[in-house]
Amino acid sequence: MMSKFFTTLLIVLSLCTTVFSQTKGETEFGFHVGYNAATVTSDDNITNSKYRSGFNAGVSVDYFFSDRWSIKGELTYDQKGWNNGYFDSGSGPVTTNYHLDYLTIPVMANWHFGRTRNWYLNFGPYVGILLSASETARDTDIKSILSSTDFGLDAGIGVKIPVSEKTKFFIELNGQSGFTDLVKDNTGMTIRSSTSNINIGFNF
């Protein structure tokens, strides 16, 4: 239901656009905020169905090689983790929620398409630097047992809406899939991050 709503919203917004295609050598700066739905997957491709709801906020710079291609870098505060997991601190296992907060740095190729180049696809690697980590059942800080970095792939689709000569509003859907184990020195099942988000923001 939510995915149909977001798809419809993107289509409606794209109908309101005008021509604003970029040229070689131009640079756009932006900021964004968004909603995160985060969870984890195991090494046998089982995805935890209990997502942590969080938010993200960050800044970006987008350098254009042509009206179709650009490279975009971001610096984003990301709330990730998962719910309904298990934790054992030595006094018995409990069901808990995991709150992991990262500084995420993706570097993505952007392909701009459509008659007015207002649509774009982005894809590329990211690195997440762990800022804090805790579980909620016993309010335990677990940063020391987790990997300090998370590497993976970021991909998404978005649309820009001109609101003035130099300002554009955008809305985008993104997904991140981690490649590395979240647990440091893990001897059990590998756990990787998985995050979907919807973002809005402005480019200048």
Side-chain angles (χ1 to χ4, degrees):
M1 185 69 178
M2 291 295 287
S3 61
K4 291 182 178 179
F5 169 76
F6 292 138
T7 301
T8 303
L9 182 60
L10 284 174
I11 292 172
V12 171
L13 288 173
S14 69
L15 296 176
C16 302
T17 60
T18 58
V19 176
F20 70 91
S21 60
Q22 301 291 331
T23 58
K24 180 179 178 180
E26 290 192 15
T27 302
E28 285 186 351
F29 298 92
F31 67 89
H32 63 271
V33 295
Y35 167 77
N36 283 0
T39 188
V40 288
T41 60
S42 65
D43 51 8
D44 52 2
N45 293 320
I46 296 177
T47 300
N48 177 44
S49 62
K50 302 300 182 180
Y51 289 75
R52 179 196 179 187
S53 292
F55 76 92
N56 69 77
V59 294
S60 64
V61 58
D62 199 3
Y63 177 81
F64 284 77
F65 296 99
S66 69
D67 68 336
R68 284 196 177 272
W69 286 99
S70 66
I71 186 166
K72 182 178 182 180
E74 294 183 356
L75 193 64
T76 301
Y77 169 74
D78 260 328
Q79 291 187 334
K80 299 182 179 181
W82 68 101
N83 288 345
N84 202 33
Y86 296 95
F87 179 73
D88 190 348
S89 62
S91 55
V94 293
T95 301
T96 189
N97 300 328
Y98 288 90
H99 290 179
L100 281 56
D101 298 333
Y102 288 87
L103 180 65
T104 304
I105 308 169
V107 178
M108 298 173 289
N110 274 14
W111 179 57
H112 305 265
F113 64 99
R115 182 179 60 84
T116 60
R117 307 291 191 267
N118 56 298
W119 286 89
Y120 59 92
L121 292 172
N122 51 38
F123 50 92
Y126 76 85
V127 57
I129 301 170
L130 186 63
L131 300 177
S132 64
S134 62
E135 60 82 26
T136 60
R138 293 186 172 133
D139 194 25
T140 305
D141 187 319
I142 58 171
K143 185 178 179 181
S144 63
I145 67 174
L146 298 181
S147 300
S148 60
T149 53
D150 172 37
F151 296 94
L153 178 67
D154 191 312
I157 183 172
V159 61
K160 298 178 182 179
I161 315 297
V163 295
S164 71
E165 183 179 352
K166 295 186 177 294
T167 304
K168 307 169 189 71
F169 170 79
F170 68 84
I171 181 170
E172 62 183 26
L173 303 176
N174 279 80
Q176 293 179 350
S177 180
F179 295 156
T180 54
D181 198 334
L182 294 181
V183 180
K184 185 190 302 182
D185 302 323
N186 192 3
T187 58
M189 183 179 296
T190 300
I191 299 174
R192 300 183 180 91
S193 65
S194 177
T195 309
S196 298
N197 53 54
I198 178 170
N199 299 328
I200 59 172
F202 288 93
N203 284 345
F204 305 93

